[in-house]
Amino acid sequence: MRRAAALLGFAAALAATLPARAQELGRLFFTPEQRAALDARRKARLPDKPAAAAPSPTTRIDGLVRRSDGRTTVWVNGEPVSGNGQVEDLRVAPRRGDPSRVTVQAGEDGRPIDLKVGSTLDRGSGEATDVMGEGEIRVRRSPGK
């Protein structure tokens, strides 16, 4: 009986200190309003970081990944773009049938330009430069092995 009374007293003392400790910690999660705003942004696919003020004068295609389920990610100026997405004022779409090329279109009236992974587009002149430039890669196999 004493043991039950002591346990009940301990539980009551613990329950009295919990609200004070919760106030010391502050809010750990979002309020319902913050959660709803976050869900709305995610549903609208709005970025969490603010957009850049001015577009970059050059566009560099850093990489392209095609998954087995058909989804793609293109890295443009170091930023990942999913599928047929947009970064700055560029529309980016991986080319069908060519795993190393991406079609880039600037603005509403810009002409589509095909770029290889590793190439850079000067948006002012519309000139694309390949990462290799005028060079070439030669593979020489050693004889015998």
Side-chain angles (χ1 to χ4, degrees), residues 47-130:
D48 289 335
K49 59 184 174 182
S56 172
T58 60
T59 298
R60 186 182 66 250
I61 305 299
D62 295 319
L64 169 65
V65 173
R66 293 181 192 265
R67 295 177 191 82
S68 60
D69 64 0
R71 294 185 303 161
T72 60
T73 301
V74 179
W75 278 265
V76 179
N77 294 340
E79 297 288 326
V81 179
S82 296
N84 294 339
Q86 190 159 343
V87 60
E88 295 177 356
D89 67 335
L90 295 171
R91 282 192 301 275
V92 180
R95 272 194 65 197
R96 294 180 189 264
D98 191 345
S100 66
R101 292 196 174 265
V102 175
T103 301
V104 176
Q105 185 175 3
E108 292 296 320
D109 56 348
R111 65 181 173 88
I113 299 171
D114 285 338
L115 297 174
K116 286 195 273 183
V117 172
S119 59
T120 301
L121 171 68
D122 181 343
R123 295 179 60 182
S125 67
E127 184 179 335
T129 55
D130 191 8

Side-chain angles (χ1 to χ4, degrees), residues 28-60:
L28 295 178
F29 300 103
F30 296 109
T31 64
E33 294 81 19
Q34 290 171 325
R35 184 79 233 168
L38 183 64
D39 288 341
R41 286 179 63 83
R42 187 173 292 139
K43 188 173 184 179
R45 296 182 180 245
L46 294 175
D48 289 335
K49 59 184 174 182
S56 172
T58 60
T59 298
R60 186 182 66 250

